[in-house]
Amino acid sequence: MTGASRHFVLAAGGTGGHLLPAFALAAELHRRGHHVALITDKRGADIPGKPDFLPAHVIPAGRFGKNPLSWFKGLKAVWEGRRMALRLFDSFQPSAVVGFGGYPSLPAILAATSTGVPTVVHEQNAVLGRVNRLFAGRVDAVATAYPEVERLDAKHAAKVHLVGNPVRAGVLSLRDEPFPPFTEDGLLRVLVTGGSQGARVLSEVVPDGLSMLPPALRQQLQVTQQCRPEDLDAVRERYRTHGIPAELATYFEDMAARLADAHLFIGRAGASTIAELTAVGRPAILIPLPIATDDHQAANARELAKSGGARMIRQERFTGKELAKQIKVLAENPQGLAKAAHAAWNCGRPKAVEDLADLVESFGGAELMDVIRVGGNNARGSSQGVPAGQGAVREAAE
């Protein structure tokens, strides 16, 4: 515990991308002796992984689509959500309100900024989200996960703090473990995921792409792949036809353990995925979701790709032939994967949750810490078994 116990409200949209960092911050603030409450929507209140100590308050948020006729209904819901948030603030008396993006955070931040409650927004992606963009000029601090964030106005630079994306404790505990050795006669363990329900394009392309690898490399493969339920049988048959051992499932409970064993990750470029890959230090081939708002997954992938820790393939260029080409670049040299792993590890920000909690605690407590401002020092390690600077910049042509 770092001082007197205080109250904090976290507000987040009902998806894992918004809620996982909120849960991590809640756990850290709780560990420090503070009381924390969550504002979200019904999806967020029911999502697995919510800490038992964290009460969830479901409020209406409203949505604003392309049809202006729907805006009145959305504004009405936001106003009702603001009223409910104000009622919570009256009884809970928060020292600060922290928004993690998504429409359910809008009424809470609106209520906080209109009544003088200190506010922080955390942006998980490399493009500032719509709600965070709306409030960037009104909040007290903007915490970011990347050194460069698109759609973030330069005039707000004084309130921007680079902290990173908090990751699950089980994944973070793997950071000091060495990269599993990959030898010419050992297994090449490949982990493939496409989000909570898998991605059809991965099911269609990855088995065929792996089959195009040189025979010696193909014989080393051991694949673990998450698939959509309706794709399982077809994907299993493709791997059987190609003679590639593969374990398939719609969901893996022990994803941290799977990541620990993996030599190569293939999948989307969501904020939580990038944070976990860099926390552990795992090479990746990333296929950004093409319909992601503001193309934020491509922006998420760029830092890791430029470091040499990943190769990015746009979905329109994601073919079996292109996938095989990129895997060969990484895996044909036994040291290639280790160097890429080190580059990914160097992009990690393992103290993200502590730095974010320090920032949040600074309101109503100590002076704001300058150590985590953009351009300052970040909490990063310097080695993972490979000397720094050996990883070349590698990004697949777009």
Side-chain angles (χ1 to χ4, degrees), residues 200 202-204 207-208 225 227-242 248:
R200 173 157 289 170
L202 298 175
S203 295
E204 293 172 347
D208 293 344
Q225 183 163 348
C227 305
R228 291 154 54 105
E230 59 269 33
D231 297 335
L232 268 176
D233 290 341
V235 177
R236 186 174 288 111
E237 179 60 23
R238 286 187 179 188
Y239 279 119
R240 189 195 66 78
T241 300
H242 297 315
L248 310 178

Side-chain angles (χ1 to χ4, degrees), residues 176-213:
D176 294 328
E177 298 295 323
F179 181 69
F182 172 59
T183 61
E184 292 183 1
D185 56 354
L187 291 175
L188 173 59
R189 290 186 289 271
V190 179
L191 175 63
V192 187
T193 75
S196 60
Q197 293 297 320
R200 173 157 289 170
V201 68
L202 298 175
S203 295
E204 293 172 347
V205 173
V206 173
D208 293 344
L210 294 176
S211 75
M212 297 177 188
L213 291 171

Side-chain angles (χ1 to χ4, degrees), residues 10 30 103 165 185 190 233 244 313 382 394:
L10 313 185
H30 181 74
Y103 284 114
N165 258 330
D185 56 354
V190 179
D233 290 341
I244 298 173
I313 307 174
S382 59
R394 304 179 188 275

Side-chain angles (χ1 to χ4, degrees), residues 140-144 146-147 156-163 355 359 362-363 367-378:
D140 296 281
V142 178
T144 66
Y146 295 89
H156 304 316
K159 65 174 73 174
V160 175
H161 305 263
L162 175 61
V163 300
D355 287 346
L359 175 62
S362 69
F363 295 99
E367 290 293 322
L368 194 64
M369 294 171 56
D370 287 332
V371 69
I372 53 175
R373 283 193 183 278
V374 169
N377 295 323
N378 291 315

Side-chain angles (χ1 to χ4, degrees), residues 11 22 27 29 32 36 71 127 164 215-216 218 224 251 259 295 307 346 374:
L29 292 173
R32 297 183 184 195
V36 191
W71 292 357
V127 181
R218 189 173 68 240
T224 299
Y251 180 75
L259 188 60
D295 199 23
S307 77
N346 260 356
V374 169

Side-chain angles (χ1 to χ4, degrees), residues 102-162:
Y103 284 114
S105 70
L106 195 159
I109 299 297
L110 185 63
T113 56
S114 66
T115 55
V117 177
T119 51
V120 178
V121 292
H122 179 269
E123 179 54 58
Q124 300 89 50
N125 294 300
V127 181
L128 198 65
R130 291 173 182 173
V131 174
N132 288 348
R133 201 180 310 159
L134 177 66
F135 288 108
R138 300 177 62 183
V139 299
D140 296 281
V142 178
T144 66
Y146 295 89
E148 296 181 11
V149 179
E150 299 175 19
R151 308 295 291 271
L152 177 56
D153 199 307
K155 66 185 179 183
H156 304 316
K159 65 174 73 174
V160 175
H161 305 263
L162 175 61

